Amino acid sequence: MFNQQGLQILLGGVDTPIDLDDLWRNTNYGGLFNDHESTIVVFWRVVESFDAEQRRALLRFVTSVGRPPLLYARTSRRFYARIGRASGGFGGLVPKFCIRDAGGDETRFPTSSTCVKLLKVCVAR
């Protein structure tokens, strides 16, 4: 059985800093976007400038949970790498964190679909 803390971790993830490199490596892109598209490059630069609370807010906006996934601890990632399976952390998300274009209307605010971990942003010109 789980105690209160164990259940909180199981349902809400771990309370550790968000590893942006792990998130970046495990992000899928849709529509017109890829990891070299100018909107995406600027997006990641902006996210890198965020403090820890802003990063948690972004993660909460896209996934409905402001904490990294349960198997996020570095020891878990080393374990998964050693056995040659998908890593813990953001690599274990199903579905993957995804960013998709939402058209060219630059006045449109970003939206998300938390059930599929999808962030929709306009294409910057």
Side-chain angles (χ1 to χ4, degrees):
M1 294 301 296
F2 295 105
N3 62 18
Q4 180 182 355
Q5 182 182 15
L7 187 59
Q8 165 102 23
I9 291 170
L10 181 64
L11 296 176
V14 292
D15 193 15
T16 61
I18 295 169
D19 182 348
L20 287 183
D21 289 332
D22 185 34
L23 180 58
W24 178 79
R25 279 190 311 274
N26 291 290
T27 296
N28 289 337
Y29 301 98
L32 302 173
F33 289 158
N34 62 55
D35 59 346
H36 301 295
E37 199 277 329
S38 62
T39 302
I40 297 301
V41 170
V42 170
F43 170 82
W44 287 113
R45 270 195 216 130
V46 169
V47 173
E48 285 176 349
S49 74
F50 285 178
D51 64 25
E53 186 56 37
Q54 290 170 314
R55 290 177 184 187
R56 282 191 293 274
L58 172 65
L59 195 59
R60 189 175 307 110
F61 180 70
V62 180
T63 68
S64 79
V65 178
R67 296 177 179 196
L70 173 64
L71 298 175
Y72 188 72
R74 291 188 189 284
T75 54
S76 295
R77 290 197 311 251
R78 279 192 299 246
F79 169 75
Y80 280 95
R82 191 173 67 231
I83 63 171
R85 306 255 334 257
S87 67
F90 292 105
L93 284 181
V94 177
K96 297 270 190 208
F97 188 93
C98 185
I99 304 173
R100 180 178 176 78
D101 70 277
D105 181 2
E106 292 184 15
T107 63
R108 180 181 175 174
F109 287 108
T111 58
S112 68
S113 297
T114 58
C115 57
V116 292
K117 299 170 185 65
L118 174 64
L119 177 64
K120 297 170 268 188
V121 296
C122 67
V123 177
R125 301 199 191 283

